[in-house]
Amino acid sequence: MKTAWTQRRGTHGLFAPLLLALCFAPWKHERPPFSEAQPLLEALRETLPAELRDVEAKSWSDWLDRHDAETRARLQRGEEDTLVNLLLFGTSFTHQPRLTTAQLERLAEKEQTALVAAVRDRARDLVRAASAPTRDERLTFARQILVEEHGFDLRTPAGRDLAERYLLTSVARVFAEHASYARLLAAARASGDATQEFIARSRLYSQRGLSFDTQLPPNYAIEQALATLQKRGLLTAVRRVAIVGPGLDFADKQEGYDIYPVQSIQPFALMDSLLRLGLARADELRVVTFDISRRVNDHLCKAVESARHGQWYELRLPLDARTPWQRDYVKYWETVGTRIGREAPATAPSGLPLRLRALRVAPRYVRLVTPLELNVTVERLALAPDQRFDLIIATNVFVYYDLLDQSLAALNLTHMIRPGGFLLSNNALLELPTTPLRSIGYSTTVYSERPADGDHIVWYQRTEEKAAERKVGSVSTTSARPAKGAHHDR
């Protein structure tokens, strides 16, 4: 089957189309029919854009096409944000001192000119490094954005100057956006209602570019949630699991590092947790990932294909030595991956306040991953009842969606979860009477002693079809009411 993603894919992908076809071939995609979406749209009518308030069955498919294109267009803005993170935190392309989040916040509090001045030399170094031939994946990524997407001629002084100005403008934009997010959160916090603050956080980036950056801590929160569900007898076995937005550890916005190759963490951290908790068996477990980013899908396809030829997958797990981590999180960092791989030598570069752990994931476990192109806001997999997932994970994903997109995603995900199965997310979702997905509790995990450094994981369970049949009326955001003090950005 030729997927929509292979049709839209650019010419600078990392793989031949044949390999991608092998990745995606067995899976059939489908769109939510208007008959299913209509009750959802009626429930959200007051918040819908004008074009959807009177949409009909004959125009529903056209709207899905347009919305799919709009969602994918946000990827470019997200990639530009990732490039800014690389510029701010990277050390591989410059001899300039490494900036920290605390330093950047102090600079941003003064004025934008101070911030721009602090990163000007870094911008020049990044442009110079991107203009030279390289096999470095991050610098190749920077070159693609600067040259192929924006048309800067890095061979000339004038072109490099324009590229530097673009980077500095992007830095100013990103910090202006962060300031607006801070104001929104401050307003939500001032209400004194922890649930309302959690809801505000859960949709904070709904107008932002879609980012693929990721890091380790949310996987610890997921493991804690799984352990609690297991202890309460709510989850006993997992054979099929899906991950929405597995992400790439590229250059995240919280002290991101570029001292090791680009990597995807969540598929392997989740797999390790399920096996170590005894919730899954390696001979039965299957892990499917959903993403619309060609970079994420390319990376995972390459990893799976390499594993078929016996290659191990390398992971590098940094731990900032200056952060007052919780003891239990440090223990997790020290042991994650031991069920699916083995330790490898790793030394952090001198001068970085960093502990670095290396792990090699065995090919047999890498081969359990199936990466798929799927936009969960407008499509889902057509699965027979016995093929549905026992568990779906979505961390730091729904925060990029507004109320409509979150509800459409929940509708599509529900159709891929078996009755009694779970969706675990660190974002609050609106619970519509027409969608058989209900929150039954939540768990809170704190990573460090830093303010609000943690996650609430809400447990959404798919009910039986008949139990979910209710008259469309009042709706609930979540029956779980998270406490204050835990939140973690992607």
Side-chain angles (χ1 to χ4, degrees):
M1 169 181 168
K2 188 175 182 181
T3 68
W5 183 71
T6 58
Q7 294 170 352
R8 283 186 289 265
R9 185 169 172 269
T11 58
H12 53 275
L14 303 179
F15 279 92
L18 176 60
L19 175 56
L20 295 173
L22 291 175
C23 269
F24 305 146
W27 302 83
K28 180 181 178 182
H29 295 55
E30 65 181 13
R31 295 284 185 86
F34 183 70
S35 58
E36 288 182 9
Q38 188 173 21
L40 182 154
L41 298 176
E42 288 294 331
L44 299 178
R45 184 175 180 80
E46 293 183 2
T47 66
L48 292 178
E51 64 177 342
L52 268 182
R53 290 175 188 168
D54 298 313
V55 71
E56 299 177 349
K58 62 182 179 180
S59 56
W60 173 241
S61 179
D62 291 339
W63 183 86
L64 288 175
D65 287 339
R66 291 195 304 274
H67 195 59
D68 184 39
E70 291 167 356
T71 302
R72 293 172 187 277
R74 294 174 61 194
L75 284 171
Q76 182 174 341
R77 283 188 287 140
E79 290 190 347
E80 291 175 354
D81 290 350
T82 292
L83 184 58
V84 168
N85 296 334
L86 176 63
L87 168 63
L88 296 177
F89 299 121
T91 59
S92 63
F93 59 86
T94 182
H95 294 295
Q96 298 298 321
R98 187 175 193 276
L99 296 172
T100 67
T101 300
Q103 289 173 325
L104 291 168
E105 289 175 350
R106 288 194 295 269
L107 289 169
E109 288 174 359
K110 295 179 180 179
E111 55 179 329
Q112 291 293 327
T113 54
L115 177 64
V116 169
V119 300
R120 183 174 289 114
D121 290 340
R122 291 182 141 265
R124 183 188 62 244
D125 291 346
L126 179 56
V127 170
R128 181 183 296 114
S131 66
T134 180
R135 298 184 66 181
D136 182 279
E137 192 169 355
R138 290 180 177 88
L139 291 179
T140 299
F141 166 79
R143 182 181 181 85
Q144 288 170 352
I145 291 180
L146 297 174
V147 177
E148 299 180 22
E149 295 182 10
H150 288 279
F152 300 124
D153 187 351
L154 303 187
R155 298 169 298 181
T156 67
R160 291 192 293 271
D161 181 65
L162 289 173
E164 291 171 26
R165 293 183 186 184
Y166 157 75
L167 289 173
L168 295 175
T169 300
S170 297
V171 169
R173 173 187 59 78
V174 167
F175 273 82
E177 290 175 356
H178 285 182
S180 69
Y181 301 146
R183 289 191 294 270
L184 289 172
L185 287 178
R189 194 177 298 115
S191 69
D193 187 326
T195 299
Q196 291 304 312
E197 181 182 347
F198 184 51
I199 292 169
R201 291 185 183 278
S202 295
R203 299 170 197 150
L204 187 61
Y205 299 150
S206 61
Q207 302 302 313
R208 184 180 178 179
L210 296 177
S211 171
F212 56 68
D213 291 323
T214 188
Q215 51 188 307
L216 182 64
N219 298 288
Y220 174 52
I222 289 295
E223 178 169 291
Q224 294 293 296
L226 291 171
T228 304
L229 288 169
Q230 182 186 41
K231 184 177 180 180
R232 296 186 183 183
L234 298 171
L235 185 64
T236 57
V238 175
R239 294 179 177 84
R240 296 178 179 85
V241 59
I243 300 172
V244 184
L248 285 178
D249 179 8
F250 191 99
D252 68 75
K253 63 178 178 287
Q254 289 196 348
E255 315 291 358
Y257 293 96
D258 63 341
I259 57 174
Y260 46 78
V262 173
Q263 59 187 7
S264 185
I265 300 172
Q266 191 159 59
F268 307 107
L270 175 61
M271 190 185 305
D272 182 75
S273 294
L274 291 170
L275 294 173
R276 285 194 293 120
L277 291 171
L279 286 169
R281 291 174 41 179
D283 60 342
E284 296 180 337
L285 183 62
R286 294 295 179 270
V287 179
V288 178
T289 63
F290 303 146
D291 214 298
I292 61 173
S293 168
R294 66 170 179 79
R295 298 186 189 279
V296 175
N297 291 328
D298 274 350
H299 180 90
L300 287 171
C301 272
K302 183 178 180 181
V304 173
E305 182 62 18
S306 296
R308 290 175 181 149
H309 293 85
Q311 292 188 29
W312 295 58
Y313 185 78
E314 301 281 347
L315 283 174
R316 298 289 188 275
L317 305 177
L319 188 74
D320 195 305
R322 298 164 303 182
T323 300
W325 300 105
Q326 294 289 331
R327 182 178 301 176
D328 287 346
Y329 176 71
V330 175
K331 183 177 180 181
Y332 172 79
W333 173 80
E334 292 173 339
T335 57
V336 63
T338 53
R339 181 63 180 78
I340 62 173
R342 62 191 184 197
E343 300 285 338
T347 304
S350 60
L352 290 181
L354 186 69
R355 296 174 63 186
L356 186 64
R357 181 167 168 252
L359 181 75
R360 302 182 70 219
V361 181
R364 63 174 294 209
Y365 297 107
V366 182
R367 292 195 299 267
L368 300 182
V369 178
T370 300
L372 295 180
E373 188 278 336
L374 187 79
N375 181 354
V376 295
T377 65
V378 299
E379 61 185 343
R380 61 209 186 198
L381 297 181
L383 300 175
D386 62 348
Q387 295 176 323
R388 292 174 180 171
F389 296 103
D390 304 302
L391 174 67
I392 295 182
I393 304 295
T395 55
N396 300 326
V397 171
F398 297 128
V399 68
Y400 290 93
Y401 296 161
D402 61 16
L403 187 60
L404 173 61
D405 277 345
Q406 288 182 351
S407 299
L408 288 172
L411 175 65
N412 285 321
L413 292 174
T414 298
H415 278 266
M416 295 188 285
I417 302 173
R418 66 166 176 80
F422 286 90
L423 165 66
L424 301 185
S425 176
N426 57 353
N427 300 127
L429 298 176
L430 187 69
E431 296 177 37
L432 293 169
T434 55
T435 302
L437 196 66
R438 300 287 173 263
S439 60
I440 63 168
Y442 72 96
S443 53
T444 298
T445 299
V446 178
Y447 306 132
S448 76
E449 296 177 12
R450 296 179 298 189
D453 188 20
D455 266 314
H456 302 298
I457 303 296
V458 185
W459 317 330
Y460 295 97
Q461 188 173 33
R462 179 183 170 173
T463 61
E464 295 290 345
E465 302 288 357
K466 292 183 179 180
E469 292 177 358
R470 303 180 188 178
K471 183 179 179 180
V472 176
S474 61
V475 295
S476 168
T477 297
T478 175
S479 59
R481 297 182 60 84
K484 291 184 177 180
H487 174 71
H488 187 76
D489 284 334
R490 191 182 190 122

